Amino acid sequence: MAPVSPLVAETEAIVKQFEYTDEDVNRGVKEFLRQMNEGLEKDGTSLAQIPTYVTGVPNGTEKGLYMAVDLGGTNFRVCSVKLNGDGTFNITSAKVAVPKHLMVAKTAQELFAFLALQIKKFLEKHHGDHFEAHIRRRMTVSSPDGYKDEHAFRMGFTFSFPVQQMGINKGTLIRWTKGFDIPDAVGKDVCALLQDEIDRLQLPVKVAALVNDTVGTLMAHSYGAPGTHGAVLGAIFGTGTNGAYLEKLSNLKKPLVGDYDKSTGDMVINIEWGSFDNQLNVLPQTPWDTALNQQSVNPGFQMYEKLVSGMFLGEILRLAINDLMKNPRISFFRDDNSSTNDLRSTTDIAETSPIYKQWAVDSTILSVAAGDHTPELSLLRKELDDSLQIHAAAREDAQAFQAIAAAIGTRAARLSAVAIAAVVLKTGKLTDPAYEGQPIDIGVDGSLVEHYPYFRGTIQKALECVEGIGKEGADRIRIGLAEDGSGVGAALIALVAAGMEKHSTNEEYIGELRETAKTAASADNEKATTD
Ligand code: ADP
Ligand code: MG
């Protein structure tokens, strides 16, 4: 056997620190369950377990046009979801990146004014008729109590930050995450903030429902999923990570402030699992994780998210790679002359390379690394060249980069399995006779889970080692992408909320809603997208 090269040995030493064993997974699941229960009992715990007031409250309409907006962390999406009433469903959507300076704006108004403006542009572009009719009506109405618009679009507002929800369209921001930091907004009702800016632009839109993206994903996947039971979990792996599931009201021990429908006996809980184990009872911490946390805007918070989600994986990789570059025992991304480089050139890194800049390495490169099966790693080397300005990287160096990226991605997926396993066990569905022999559906959304190769496969494999799940249980757990989950989900919740304005409870309605969303899934191919 050939001796191991110093580079391979040093790479191995880094990779080893990202190992997250089966035993670690099991310890993680037990602690996750403990923290879930704690969060159901009282406030101020690491897992906030936030009641969402979504209990499946019915209305009676399944026809009409609903709007949905989604402030995710990286992008702002605006869409309209049209329920045709004849069983079809169309989605039109637009997406814009949130400018960095608005994420840390002085006032909440600056950010929300930008959001309202995007809604205006969307309406003008895609719903010009409706928009103009509204303006005409507004100009001709002169009632003493002002202009009341039943024709206004009902909109679901997906706001994926921790919110203390007070009702279906009311909730105050607890804290920012994912790099946002606008202290002025904390403690304010985010629906009111958005409605104020919408009104300032005189748009025919009413913020009807406040939706967490996890809840939207759960709703959309539940109603759309084939089979008799809905999804047990909606989960996000995008800029951040989080999950929502249906909990029995009897398990919810802490007091609820707002009104809600008690007839279903259930309530959707927003776990806010990005904060799992902030106290670091069980979470792993490499020196790079520790450094990342210390340099973040919220040290000590979102500790699980910092190991798992898209916003952080690129930075963990960047920090580890920088250490390897500084390692005096090897010459990584450095060669003295072209004889040591299979490209017959010498590696050269631009001074302005993102590799030298905090937060500048996008986690997309982990996906490229994981997906490159070419013998010369030509895809990854091209990406190193294009996006990191690391020119003419040697194959050995690209291999080291790939191994470390894989270690970070694999750990993220195995940690994701911890949350998923805990929720599945918490719901008891694996042993529920009503579910016997049936799949346990989990809806997921977010660029990381969508694009990182094998992310779901790695989760699935890790689930097999969990006590109480095993191979047999893992085979029943079906992790499916809830495409357009937040859009369709938010529209569905807006529809429920709009119904609550006019109707009292109507049992048949849930069934209709289910039908509508099933059609939504099948009408996927006819959606118009302006992304
Ligand atoms: P949001 O969180 O705003 O809803 P997304 O679900 O699109 O948006 O997630 C964006 C995050 O996903 C960013 O952190 C980005 O770096 C990461 N990301 C985007 N594409 C990929 C990819 N191909 N592989 C891994 N991560 C990705
Ligand atoms: Mg999102």
Side-chain angles (χ1 to χ4, degrees), residues 408-421:
I408 294 167
T410 302
R411 186 186 66 167
R414 290 176 65 80
L415 278 161
S416 304
V418 166
I420 292 173

Side-chain angles (χ1 to χ4, degrees), residues 217-226 229-232 514:
T217 301
L218 177 69
M219 296 294 271
H221 202 66
S222 285
Y223 296 124
H229 300 286
V232 303
R514 228 177 249 274

Side-chain angles (χ1 to χ4, degrees), residues 61-74:
T61 338
E62 82 289 356
K63 214 174 174 178
L65 194 54
Y66 293 88
M67 285 197 68
V69 292
D70 177 358
L71 183 66
T74 300

Side-chain angles (χ1 to χ4, degrees), residues 70-77 95 98 160 178 213 236-241 309-314 361-368 445-453 486:
D70 177 358
L71 183 66
T74 300
N75 298 305
F76 182 61
R77 293 189 191 85
K95 178 166 94 175
V98 179
S160 309
K178 299 181 277 195
D213 54 356
I236 302 292
F237 301 94
T239 312
T241 182
S309 76
M311 177 165 173
F312 303 101
L313 298 185
V361 173
D362 194 286
S363 61
T364 305
I365 199 157
L366 279 90
S367 292
V368 176
D445 193 12
S447 289
L448 180 65
V449 64
E450 207 173 315
H451 301 300
Y452 186 95
S486 70

